[in-house]
């Protein structure tokens, strides 16, 4: 019996690539020089697409695979998948929620601590001899006891709140509606009022057209010259030109960012700023979580092709 033919929209870790090629007839779209010629040759035979959250699958790719049954996303975010096109073609979509929640929350809180306490600059201060030559490093800002806002109280937002409680912070959140949690968190109706409350604003929203640029100039101004934005969601949730202007003019104090428009080709204006912490979209980048993500993506593919339904459908 022949193996199902699947399209690989991007590369995966070696262990996952081996598992994929063992179980399926894999066609590497990501390495094809002429993408249209690749689709002309293979498109009719593709039954599933394995893709990463940052790559997704657009309408043209979906249309080029008329016998497509499933898009399996390696990641929690599926905003890169054209859901309307998938639904119109009766294509199922799965992602890998839960398994990356704790690592993403860890990185968000780590970025807050690192930037607030100036840890990158402080290490340079030691390494370049400034400590010996100039004395103590300039004073930074504390974290404990201050106010934090969480924009989007889903799995990751709740995990961030769990961690922030340990710092004795006054935690607020905004979402579509108030949510019952084990913690007594203050609800705010909109992003501006949440930012006004916050010294640190965490963006943990799932991205969609409705949330595009929800963090705009008005939110950044409300966060203010002493405020910090931490984005561990998707770049599209933040108006990046407005963010850059706010950082450059001092209307926003600082930003810790794991996601960017057009990544990995980020706006060079970021590189000139000393009030940002820049990370290479690696909030889920631990050995353990990436292994779990791969296993869940593979499990969704296997469950679909054996007729058992989907484990984590979108």
């Amino acid at each position: 019996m022949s193996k199902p033919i699947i399209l690989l929209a991007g590369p995966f870790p070696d262990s996952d690539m081996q598992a994929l090629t063992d179980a399926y007839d894999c066609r590497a779209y990501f390495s094809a020089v002429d993408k249209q010629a690749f689709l002309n040759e293979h498109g009719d035979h593709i039954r599933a697409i394995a893709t990463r959250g940052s790559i997704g699958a657009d309408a043209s790719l979906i249309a080029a695979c008329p016998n497509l049954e499933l898009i399996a996303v390696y990641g929690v975010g599926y905003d890169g998948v054209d859901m309307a096109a998938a639904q119109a073609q009766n294509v199922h979509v799965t992602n890998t929620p839960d398994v990356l929640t704790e690592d993403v929350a860890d990185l968000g809180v780590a970025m807050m601590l690192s930037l607030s306490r100036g840890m990158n600059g402080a290490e340079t201060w030691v390494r370049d001899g400034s400590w010996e030559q100039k004395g103590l490093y300039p004073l930074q800002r504390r974290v404990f006891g201050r106010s934090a806002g969480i924009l989007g109280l889903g799995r990751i937002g709740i995990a961030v709140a769990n961690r922030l409680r340990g710092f004795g912070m006054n935690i607020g959140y905004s979402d579509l509606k108030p949510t019952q949690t084990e913690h007594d968190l203050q609800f705010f109706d909109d992003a501006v009022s949440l930012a006004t409350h916050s010294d640190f604003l965490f963006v943990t929203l799932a991205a969609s057209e409705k949330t595009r640029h929800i963090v705009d100039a008005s939110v950044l101004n409300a966060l203010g010259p002493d405020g910090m934005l931490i984005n561990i969601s998707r770049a599209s949730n933040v108006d990046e030109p407005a963010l850059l202007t706010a950082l450059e003019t001092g209307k926003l104090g600082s930003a810790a960012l794991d996601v960017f428009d057009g990544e990995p080709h980020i706006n060079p204006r970021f590189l000139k700023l000393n009030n940002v912490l820049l990370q290479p979209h690696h909030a889920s980048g631990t050995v353990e979580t990436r292994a779990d993500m791969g296993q869940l993506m593979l499990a969704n593919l296997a469950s679909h092709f054996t007729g058992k339904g989907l484990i984590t459908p979108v």
Side-chain angles (χ1 to χ4, degrees), residues 231-236 240 257-261 263 279 281:
N231 190 6
I232 48 174
S233 61
R234 280 286 190 263
S236 63
E240 193 168 281
L257 308 168
D258 189 46
V259 289
F260 305 87
D261 288 343
E263 59 186 48
Q279 297 290 291
H281 199 158

Side-chain angles (χ1 to χ4, degrees), residues 1-271:
M1 184 176 178
S2 60
K3 299 177 181 178
I5 298 174
I6 70 172
L7 179 150
L8 304 183
F12 297 93
D14 290 344
S15 60
D16 296 322
M17 288 291 283
Q18 186 62 55
L20 285 165
T21 55
D22 285 346
Y24 305 104
D25 183 349
C26 296
R27 310 293 169 89
Y29 177 70
F30 68 91
S31 62
V33 176
D34 187 333
K35 296 290 195 289
Q36 189 56 56
F38 175 96
L39 292 173
N40 291 341
E41 180 180 356
H42 302 291
D44 287 347
H45 308 292
I46 300 298
R47 295 179 61 190
I49 294 174
T51 187
R52 301 204 311 267
S54 58
I55 297 173
D58 62 19
S60 61
L61 179 59
I62 294 170
C65 304
N67 295 304
L68 186 64
E69 302 166 20
L70 175 68
I71 299 170
V73 178
Y74 176 89
V76 67
Y78 54 88
D79 48 299
V81 176
D82 191 316
M83 294 299 293
Q87 291 167 1
Q89 203 167 307
N90 198 30
V91 175
H92 300 289
V93 180
T94 65
N95 63 345
T96 60
D98 296 323
V99 296
L100 49 71
T101 297
E102 304 299 332
D103 273 343
V104 173
D106 277 353
L107 186 74
V109 174
M111 289 197 298
M112 174 189 70
L113 289 167
S114 180
L115 186 56
S116 186
R117 296 301 302 269
M119 292 175 69
N120 285 358
E123 186 189 26
T124 300
W125 192 261
V126 175
R127 288 182 179 276
D128 68 7
S130 294
W131 188 16
E132 182 178 3
Q133 297 166 14
K134 301 177 183 179
L136 296 177
Y137 188 62
L139 297 178
Q140 303 298 302
R141 296 300 302 270
R142 70 169 46 160
V143 169
F144 78 87
R146 298 178 73 193
S147 296
I150 300 171
L151 185 56
L153 200 69
R155 297 178 182 91
I156 294 171
I158 290 172
V160 169
N162 290 340
R163 286 154 176 75
L164 298 183
R165 294 283 290 188
F167 295 100
M169 302 184 85
N170 178 13
I171 307 168
Y173 75 98
S174 184
D175 212 321
L176 296 176
K177 61 182 179 180
T179 302
Q180 289 289 102
T181 70
E182 61 183 299
H183 304 310
D184 184 20
L185 308 181
Q186 184 178 358
F187 175 74
F188 291 86
D189 289 326
D190 57 72
V192 171
S193 59
L194 178 65
T196 301
H197 155 88
S198 303
D199 297 307
F200 305 95
L201 180 62
F202 288 82
V203 186
T204 55
L205 284 166
S208 69
E209 280 304 311
K210 291 182 179 179
T211 67
R212 180 172 176 78
H213 291 182
I214 188 171
V215 178
D216 58 11
S218 64
V219 175
L220 299 171
N221 289 339
L223 190 53
D226 292 322
M228 180 190 297
L229 180 75
I230 302 106
N231 190 6
I232 48 174
S233 61
R234 280 286 190 263
S236 63
N237 287 330
V238 176
D239 183 339
E240 193 168 281
L243 171 61
L244 282 160
T245 298
L247 289 165
E248 291 165 342
T249 60
K251 290 183 178 179
L252 176 66
S254 59
L257 308 168
D258 189 46
V259 289
F260 305 87
D261 288 343
E263 59 186 48
H265 307 291
I266 73 170
N267 193 313
R269 290 165 65 187
F270 279 117
L271 305 180

Side-chain angles (χ1 to χ4, degrees), residues 264-284:
H265 307 291
I266 73 170
N267 193 313
R269 290 165 65 187
F270 279 117
L271 305 180
K272 300 176 182 179
L273 295 169
N274 60 12
N275 55 348
V276 295
L277 176 62
L278 310 174
Q279 297 290 291
H281 199 158
H282 74 142
S284 66

